[in-house]
């Protein structure tokens, strides 16, 4: 999951970030790009400079620029805590990921001012009225490229109060994480196995098309295969297959192709290692050709699930159905 943090100055966003960082969340901030840019320009790292630079970058590259830069670094399988959401478009950019929630960290004005005052920094406001006046200027703006903190906070999925102790804050955060975790969507089995097949396809050495198959039994992968030249033969992308390297049109000179197909390799790999595939399901990134279809039928595989479809495979699909093998296309669901 991705937990985004928003909230007013000294509300405790940093404390939430550190708490989750210590619990295996990977930490980022939308301000990281601003800090790097300020350093490159040899400008001091001040709140005013961060705000001004953020406005400049949004004007030049769009309001989602900071969010886009961070999203490029995030991987699907990890949990993240991302600080400093200050514009609604940044929130909407992250919402493209279905595992994103925005958390608003809230604390009363006087408590936040006392936290600021306790830091004793030279440029911090000395009075509560001055603090609130400055904050009001940052909360919203007629400039569409300036930070819009109030509008961002209004888009939060959850608000955690931080007027008490760290222990109270931590308990609130844990409660929200537990709620969010229950709402997370895991990929179904079809998606799971087909995504694995697509990763297997990256191993293909075929110069024309990368295809892969995985054979599954009892929700366990027992064999994988990708297309390419046979074991011990020069790889297709190194010139091993004359047909592929001449970029022959689809369906032409198939008798000249030296590459083994993904389904063929998955089946023969199981045989090579003495693994029974009777009653198994085969997931393939493409529907099988006629040769692979006959191997599938005779190997005892009982189900074929494919993603893309070859334009020359009607005979294959009809033969699979005639043999009583269940055939499903994920593109049709």
């Amino acid at each position: 999951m991705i937990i985004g943090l928003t909230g007013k100055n000294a509300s405790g966003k940093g404390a939430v970030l550190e708490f989750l960082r210590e619990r295996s969340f990977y930490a980022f901030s939308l301000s990281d790009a601003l800090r790097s840019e300020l350093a490159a320009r040899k400008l001091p790292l001040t709140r005013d400079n961060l705000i001004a630079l953020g406005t400049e970058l949004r004007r030049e590259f769009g309001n989602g620029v900071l969010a886009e830069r961070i999203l490029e670094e995030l991987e699907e399988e990890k949990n993240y805590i991302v600080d400093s959401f200050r514009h609604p478009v940044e929130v909407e950019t992250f919402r493209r990921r279905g595992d994103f929630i925005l958390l608003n960290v809230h604390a009363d004005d006087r408590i936040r001012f006392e936290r600021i005052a306790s830091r004793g920094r030279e440029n911090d406001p000395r009075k509560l009225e001055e603090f609130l006046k400055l904050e009001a200027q940052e909360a919203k703006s007629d400039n569409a490229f300036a930070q819009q903190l109030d509008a961002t906070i209004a888009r939060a999925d959850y608000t955690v109060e931080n007027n008490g102790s760290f222990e109270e804050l931590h308990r609130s955060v844990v409660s929200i994480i537990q709620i969010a975790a229950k709402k997370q969507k895991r990929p179904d089995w079809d998606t799971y196995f087909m995504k694995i097949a697509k990763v297997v396809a990256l191993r293909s050495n075929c110069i024309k098309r990368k295809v892969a198959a995985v054979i599954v039994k009892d929700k366990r992968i027992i064999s994988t295969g990708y297309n390419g030249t046979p074991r011990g033969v020069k790889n297709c992308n190194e010139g091993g297959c004359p047909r592929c390297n001449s970029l022959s049109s689809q369906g032409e000179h198939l008798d000249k192709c030296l590459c083994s197909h993904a389904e063929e390799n998955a089946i023969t790999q199981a045989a090579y290692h003495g693994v029974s595939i009777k009653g198994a399901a085969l997931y393939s990134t493409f529907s099988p050709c006629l040769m692979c279809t006959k191997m599938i039928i005779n190997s005892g595989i009982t189900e074929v699930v494919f993603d893309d479809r070859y334009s020359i495979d009607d005979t294959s699909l009809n033969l699979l159905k005639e043999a009583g093998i269940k055939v499903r296309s994920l593109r049709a669901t």
Side-chain angles (χ1 to χ4, degrees):
M1 70 179 75
I2 304 174
I3 307 297
L5 293 177
T6 190
K8 296 189 175 182
N9 194 18
S11 60
K13 300 185 297 297
V16 174
L17 183 143
E18 287 304 318
F19 175 71
L20 291 178
R21 189 208 300 268
E22 292 171 358
R23 284 148 183 83
S24 302
F25 280 69
Y26 292 81
F28 284 86
S29 172
L30 298 191
S31 298
D32 290 343
L34 301 179
R35 295 186 180 94
S36 298
E37 184 67 21
L38 286 177
R41 298 184 185 188
K42 298 182 179 180
L43 295 174
L45 180 60
T46 66
R47 184 175 177 81
D48 288 343
N49 282 345
L50 286 169
I51 292 172
L53 180 58
T55 301
E56 176 187 327
L57 293 180
R58 292 188 194 100
R59 181 182 293 109
E60 184 174 356
F61 300 107
N63 282 323
V65 57
L66 301 180
E68 294 283 3
R69 291 183 180 184
I70 294 298
L71 267 179
E72 290 177 358
E73 300 186 46
L74 307 190
E75 302 174 70
E76 288 188 58
E77 76 281 5
K78 294 177 180 176
N79 288 336
Y80 294 95
I81 178 73
V82 182
D83 194 10
S84 297
F85 283 83
R86 297 178 177 277
H87 197 286
V89 176
E90 295 168 348
V91 178
E92 299 313 312
T93 299
F94 264 74
R95 290 219 190 275
R96 297 203 300 257
R97 285 274 299 257
D99 54 356
F100 173 74
I101 66 169
L102 183 64
L103 178 62
N104 170 38
V105 185
H106 176 268
D108 293 343
D109 294 343
R110 182 169 293 279
I111 291 176
R112 291 189 298 108
F113 171 69
E114 290 172 354
R115 291 171 183 165
I116 290 288
S118 67
R119 300 189 308 198
R121 295 179 183 174
E122 183 178 350
N123 295 324
D124 284 340
R126 302 301 183 189
K127 296 182 179 180
L128 176 60
E129 294 75 13
E130 180 186 355
F131 171 71
L132 294 177
K133 182 178 179 180
L134 178 63
E135 194 165 69
Q137 295 171 356
E138 300 175 356
K140 56 185 177 181
S141 173
D142 293 332
N143 181 351
F145 302 107
Q147 68 178 37
Q148 308 284 343
L149 190 54
D150 282 353
T152 305
I153 290 173
R155 286 164 170 75
D157 300 288
Y158 302 96
T159 293
V160 58
E161 297 292 338
N162 184 28
N163 293 313
S165 66
F166 281 126
E167 289 75 15
E168 291 171 320
L169 174 64
H170 296 166
R171 282 197 297 270
S172 297
V173 171
V174 169
S175 177
I176 290 171
I177 295 296
Q178 290 172 342
I179 294 171
K182 291 178 181 178
K183 295 180 179 180
Q184 281 192 297
K185 294 182 179 179
R186 297 193 298 168
D188 59 34
W189 288 110
D190 283 343
T191 303
Y192 173 72
F193 289 126
M194 192 60 73
K195 280 194 172 186
I196 292 175
K198 289 181 178 181
V199 172
V200 173
L202 298 177
R203 283 286 303 166
S204 169
N205 62 67
C206 182
I207 195 172
K208 290 188 62 180
R209 193 198 307 264
K210 295 180 183 292
V211 184
V214 298
I215 299 176
V216 176
K217 195 170 185 179
D218 298 326
K219 294 185 173 60
R220 181 172 64 92
I221 294 175
I222 56 177
S223 184
T224 67
Y226 50 83
N227 62 322
T229 50
R231 187 192 308 271
V233 176
K234 183 188 295 184
N235 287 334
C236 178
N237 59 0
E238 297 172 338
C241 178
R243 175 186 179 270
C244 291
N245 279 265
S246 66
L247 297 182
S248 296
S249 297
Q250 181 172 291
E252 293 184 357
H253 310 302
L254 294 177
D255 58 328
K256 306 294 184 183
C257 185
L258 301 185
C259 288
S260 299
H261 291 189
E263 302 93 330
E264 175 187 1
N265 276 333
I267 291 170
T268 56
Q269 281 297 307
Y272 184 86
H273 293 287
V275 178
S276 172
I277 57 176
K278 182 179 180 180
L282 181 142
Y283 285 78
S284 180
T285 56
F286 279 84
S287 56
C289 71
L290 184 58
M291 177 189 70
C292 291
T293 292
K294 291 183 286 186
M295 293 185 69
I296 288 168
I297 293 170
N298 287 336
S299 69
I301 288 171
T302 56
E303 182 177 18
V304 171
V305 184
F306 65 89
D307 192 27
D308 283 336
R309 177 173 174 172
Y310 283 125
S311 61
I312 56 172
D313 64 358
D314 284 344
T315 301
S316 301
L317 296 180
N318 290 336
L319 190 61
L320 287 169
K321 293 176 181 178
E322 182 181 348
I325 293 177
K326 184 178 181 180
V327 180
R328 292 190 292 121
S329 168
L330 294 189
R331 295 277 176 157
T333 59

